[in-house]
Amino acid sequence: MVTSEATPTALPRTARPVNGIVAGLARRPVRFVARDSGEYLFVGVHGGITPCLQLPAEIALAPGDICFYDAHQPTSLDFPAVFRTKVFLVSRTALGLSEPVLHGLNRSPVTGGSRLGALLSPFLSGLADSAAHSEPAVSEALVRDGVNLLATAAAEQLRRAEPPSCGVELSLLSRILDHVELHLADAGLSPEMIADANHISVRYLHKLFQEQGLTVSRWIQRRRLEECRRELLPRGGSQRTIAAVAGRWGFVSPPHFSRVFRAAYGMSPSEWRETSGRRTEGDRG
């Protein structure tokens, strides 16, 4: 919860999970724009949100509006000089919504003048002011009620605003990324195999990734490199050779693996293992 009388550069954030499937997908930051001074309520949703395919870069708000935003992204504000914000950070699981559809929330604020907003906005504002000063049992009950109301609001906004094509494509992309994760160690993993397993054309598969600013092959390579880099960290005892680690994650040519590793991280696999090993020993000392 944040109250401010000066324009901040961004709303509160939480770190995106390092090993999350969608951690590296590109997305434009959202900017919230207000025309009048007053109080605004924001709900930061965290827990692995999939980027939207066609997300607007700017969203206009009025005082009393409730707006959901991705707490893993650098969401910025363009507000009048004097305003107040109250921010709630909620996990997507608490809202009871699946990951592929959450992107639609920040495109559709709950306006303060709507029937739902007229009920929810004053409640959330009062909750932000009073919960911290109430008895623990009372605070917990109020917070539970607030989360339940937010879940209802989120479901209603998604029902009204979600473009069917965007939801379908994101759901498909999520399944494709899951498939890649499951078969990442398969040296034969290819766009053709992925498309066939998901019953789509190779052309459509490339289109889904292009809309995220990626290519299928580069995504596979990036994920394989991340797993190799993680496995090359010293953990004591016997260690796999660099060639064995590369082969385990689908790299059939050790020289090729060394080249792409250096291009990605600025050092060879052996340098990475040696450098990270020295850091580990220094920490223990």
Side-chain angles (χ1 to χ4, degrees):
M1 180 176 64
V2 176
T3 301
S4 175
E5 298 296 341
T7 305
T9 57
L11 288 166
R13 299 175 57 192
T14 59
R16 183 179 294 280
V18 174
N19 293 324
I21 290 175
V22 296
L25 291 182
R27 175 177 151 177
R28 293 178 297 164
V30 177
R31 183 174 64 154
F32 293 113
V33 178
R35 304 303 179 195
D36 298 303
S37 298
E39 182 176 270
Y40 298 80
L41 298 112
F42 294 93
V43 181
V45 183
H46 61 88
I49 301 177
T50 303
C52 180
L53 297 177
Q54 296 177 337
L55 189 68
E58 184 173 295
I59 300 170
L61 301 176
D65 285 358
I66 304 166
C67 196
F68 296 86
Y69 74 95
D70 182 350
H72 300 308
Q73 295 290 337
T75 309
S76 61
L77 301 176
D78 185 3
F79 275 30
V82 178
F83 71 98
R84 290 168 61 86
T85 63
K86 293 177 180 177
V87 182
F88 303 83
L89 293 177
V90 184
S91 70
R92 70 175 181 85
T93 53
L95 291 176
L97 298 171
S98 62
E99 180 179 328
V101 300
L102 278 176
H103 66 278
L105 285 176
N106 56 5
R107 294 183 299 171
S108 181
V110 180
T111 61
S114 66
R115 183 175 62 177
L116 184 58
L119 293 172
L120 185 54
S121 185
F123 176 81
L124 290 178
S125 180
L127 176 62
D129 293 333
S130 63
H133 306 291
S134 302
E135 293 294 326
V138 175
S139 295
E140 290 177 9
L142 289 172
V143 169
R144 281 197 302 270
D145 289 343
V147 171
N148 289 335
L149 288 171
L150 284 172
T152 300
E156 177 64 14
Q157 294 304 100
L158 285 171
R159 185 184 68 79
R160 292 180 179 181
E162 178 68 12
S165 61
C166 186
V168 169
E169 288 189 345
L170 282 170
S171 179
L172 175 58
L173 180 59
S174 180
R175 293 199 305 272
I176 289 170
L177 293 176
D178 285 341
H179 178 83
V180 170
E181 291 296 304
L182 288 173
H183 299 275
L184 202 59
D186 183 353
L189 185 65
S190 66
E192 290 75 18
M193 289 180 59
I194 297 169
D196 184 63
N198 288 276
H199 311 292
I200 59 175
S201 69
V202 175
R203 180 178 180 181
Y204 186 53
L205 174 68
H206 287 307
K207 175 180 176 291
L208 290 174
F209 275 77
Q210 286 168 359
E211 287 174 336
Q212 301 296 339
L214 299 167
T215 69
V216 181
S217 297
R218 285 190 178 276
W219 177 255
I220 294 171
Q221 183 183 94
R222 178 191 299 180
R223 287 295 299 118
R224 284 174 169 168
L225 285 172
E226 288 170 352
E227 292 300 326
C228 289
R229 186 171 184 257
R230 177 186 58 79
E231 194 164 328
L232 286 171
L233 288 171
R235 290 182 173 84
S238 60
Q239 295 180 344
R240 285 190 175 93
T241 65
I242 291 173
V245 170
R248 167 176 160 79
W249 291 106
F251 290 99
V252 296
S253 168
H256 170 70
F257 168 66
S258 294
R259 286 196 300 271
V260 296
F261 191 98
R262 181 183 290 278
Y265 302 117
M267 63 179 70
S268 68
S270 58
E271 290 170 337
W272 162 250
R273 172 173 271 178
E274 181 181 354
T275 301
S276 57
R278 286 201 301 266
R279 283 203 302 267
T280 300
E281 291 175 1
D283 293 340
R284 290 174 181 172

